[in-house]
Structure formats: structure tokens, C-alpha cells
């Protein structure tokens, strides 16, 4: 009975967690129409790791809810990445000195097209490789570990972007907080459910970087000036 309850709990959280984590970031970008310190590479990493996980699912035994989660993450981050390019185009329009010069805007449209084309071709190649190996367990396991390696990189671009800009503007604190909560939950779930070690290692690495990014929010967030404090 307890096992059924925990399976339902873990499965439900796996499915809803992408909306809870990345919904606030998408909302923030749409409200402010600014990308701030949010890097496109975050979307790239999640889309690639989720697709690799889906590819590995026929030959590797892991929770079905993780496959559903991967599909949801792909769709969500395609939406976020399209929003990213849309906001960049808007910013270019605002900063144009010569309004008739649309070359920089066309350049962003070309970058967006090339970005999605590259992803699509990469997915075709990955799927073709697995098809050649007839989705054998060893090939699927390799893709699963590749997915975990890519996913383990997820917090690193955000950490580096915050570090180089000395700012966390445009990054949803709730997204980072839920990264931390989600990775801690994943670490517990993977350990209790005896999931592949690749998942456990990925969660540990991500958890460490989540802590560093949360520290950046403390360090880089604007602080009230002395005059403001006195007026209060």
C-alpha cells in the first residue's frame, strides 16, 4: 500500500514539476519583456537531455512518469526559447538608431531558425543511431547516461551568466528555489527507487550548483541604500 502511495506521489510530482519550476520564469519574461541574465543554453540543455532520455526509454527500465516529464520539458522549453528570441527582437527594435535598418532583426530571425534546425537535425541523428542499434539495452543505457551528463550541466550556464554579469536580473528566484527543491526530491526519489546511478549523480551535481546560484541571489540582489533605510 505504501509503495503504491509513493509511486503515485513521485509520479504526480514528476509530471507537474516542469510547470511549477519553469512557469514562473516564462511568466517573468512575458511580464518584463526582458531576458535579463537568463541564458538560452538552459533551454538547450533541457531540450537535449529530455530528448535523449525519451530515446533511451525503450531499452532502460525507469519510472514512466520521467518519460512524461521529459516530453513536457521539451514542449515548455521550446516555448521559452521562442519567447527568448522574440524578446531579443523587440530589444533590437527599441535600440535601433535607424529604424529602417532591419538587418540586425533579420539576424535574430536567422539565429532562431538555425537554432531549431540544429536541434532537429541533432535529434534525427541521435534517433538514427539508436535505430541502427535496434534500440538495444546497451545503446539505450548509453543514451541514458548521456542524458544525465547533459542534464547535470543545467545550472552551470545560469551560474556563469550570473557570475560574469554580477546580476540575477530577469531570473526567477522561484525557479531556482524549485530547482533546489526538485533536485533534492529527485536525489531522494532516485535513491529510494533504486534508479540508475546516472540519475543519482546528476541530482548531486545539480544540487551543488543550485546552492551556489541561491548564494548569488543573496550576493547580487539589489540592497536598500542607507538613505532608504533611514526613511523607513
Amino acid at each position: 500500500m505504501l509503495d503504491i502511495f509513493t509511486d503515485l506521489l513521485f509520479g504526480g510530482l514528476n509530471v507537474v514539476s516542469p510547470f511549477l519550476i519553469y512557469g514562473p520564469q516564462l511568466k517573468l519574461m512575458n511580464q518584463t519583456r526582458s531576458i535579463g541574465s537568463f541564458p538560452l543554453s538552459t533551454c538547450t540543455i533541457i531540450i537535449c537531455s529530455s530528448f535523449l532520455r525519451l530515446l533511451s526509454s525503450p531499452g532502460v527500465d525507469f519510472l514512466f512518469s520521467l518519460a512524461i516529464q521529459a516530453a513536457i520539458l521539451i514542449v515548455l522549453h521550446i516555448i521559452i526559447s521562442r519567447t527568448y528570441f522574440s524578446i531579443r527582437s523587440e530589444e533590437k527594435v527599441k535600440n535601433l538608431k535607424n529604424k529602417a535598418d532591419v538587418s540586425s532583426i533579420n539576424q535574430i530571425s536567422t539565429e532562431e531558425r538555425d537554432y531549431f534546425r540544429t536541434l532537429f537535425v541533432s535529434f534525427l541523428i541521435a534517433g538514427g543511431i539508436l535505430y541502427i542499434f535496434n534500440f538495444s539495452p546497451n545503446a539505450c543505457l548509453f543514451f541514458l547516461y548521456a542524458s544525465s551528463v547533459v542534464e547535470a550541466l543545467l545550472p552551470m550556464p545560469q551560474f556563469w551568466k550570473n557570475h560574469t554579469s554580477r546580476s540575477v536580473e530577469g531570473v526567477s528566484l522561484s525557479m531556482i528555489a524549485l530547482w533546489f527543491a526538485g533536485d533534492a526530491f529527485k536525489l531522494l526519489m532516485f535513491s529510494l527507487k533504486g534508479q540508475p546511478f546516472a540519475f543519482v549523480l546528476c541530482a548531486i551535481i545539480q544540487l551543488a550548483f543550485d546552492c551556489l546560484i541561491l548564494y548569488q541571489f543573496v550576493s547580487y540582489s539589489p540592497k536598500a541604500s542607507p538613505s532608504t533605510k533611514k526613511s523607513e
Side-chain angles (χ1 to χ4, degrees):
M1 186 68 182
L2 181 60
D3 287 343
I4 296 175
F5 174 76
T6 55
D7 285 346
L8 289 174
L9 175 64
F10 289 156
L13 287 174
N14 282 332
V15 171
V16 302
S17 61
F19 300 103
L20 295 176
I21 295 173
Y22 297 104
Q25 180 62 42
L26 180 59
K27 181 180 179 182
L28 179 64
M29 292 170 71
N30 281 318
Q31 284 179 339
T32 62
R33 301 310 293 173
S34 170
I35 56 177
S37 296
F38 181 78
L40 180 63
S41 48
T42 296
C43 295
T44 309
I45 289 172
I46 292 177
I47 292 172
C48 291
S49 64
S50 299
F51 187 77
L52 290 173
R53 180 175 296 179
L54 278 178
L55 281 179
S56 70
S57 59
V60 181
D61 182 25
F62 60 82
L63 293 174
F64 178 66
S65 59
L66 291 175
I68 298 176
Q69 181 191 64
I72 294 172
L73 284 169
I74 291 172
V75 173
L76 265 179
H77 282 84
I78 287 175
I79 295 172
I80 293 174
S81 56
R82 294 206 65 182
T83 304
Y84 177 96
F85 284 110
S86 173
I87 292 172
R88 279 192 61 197
S89 295
E90 292 173 10
E91 290 175 346
K92 283 287 184 183
V93 171
K94 291 178 183 177
N95 297 328
L96 277 180
K97 294 180 180 178
N98 179 6
K99 298 300 181 182
D101 181 14
V102 295
S103 59
S104 57
I105 301 173
N106 291 335
Q107 180 184 356
I108 293 176
S109 298
T110 302
E111 288 177 8
E112 181 179 6
R113 186 169 58 251
D114 291 344
Y115 173 78
F116 285 109
R117 184 181 297 165
T118 301
L119 284 177
F120 181 71
V121 171
S122 300
F123 295 162
L124 282 180
I125 293 172
I129 292 172
L130 265 181
Y131 180 78
I132 290 172
F133 285 94
N134 199 27
F135 290 88
S136 68
N138 286 337
C140 289
L141 187 62
F142 172 81
F143 271 77
L144 177 66
Y145 272 84
S147 165
S148 296
V149 169
V150 173
E151 188 180 353
L153 302 175
L154 174 60
M156 297 180 189
Q158 188 66 68
F159 169 78
W160 184 250
K161 187 76 176 284
N162 294 346
H163 175 72
T164 53
S165 65
R166 312 295 290 182
S167 170
V168 290
E169 182 184 356
V171 182
S172 169
L173 175 58
S174 60
M175 180 185 75
I176 305 300
L178 286 169
W179 269 5
F180 177 85
D183 292 333
F185 168 76
K186 284 194 300 184
L187 180 58
L188 175 64
M189 178 185 69
F190 295 155
S191 300
L192 290 177
K193 290 295 179 180
Q195 293 298 289
F197 178 70
F199 285 172
V200 177
L201 182 61
C202 170
I204 292 173
I205 295 172
Q206 288 182 312
L207 201 55
F209 273 92
D210 293 342
C211 293
L212 291 174
I213 296 173
L214 286 171
Y215 176 75
Q216 287 177 326
F217 266 89
V218 176
S219 301
Y220 301 152
S221 293
K223 297 179 177 60
S225 62
S227 58
T228 307
K229 291 179 180 179
K230 288 179 181 178
S231 63
E232 291 174 354

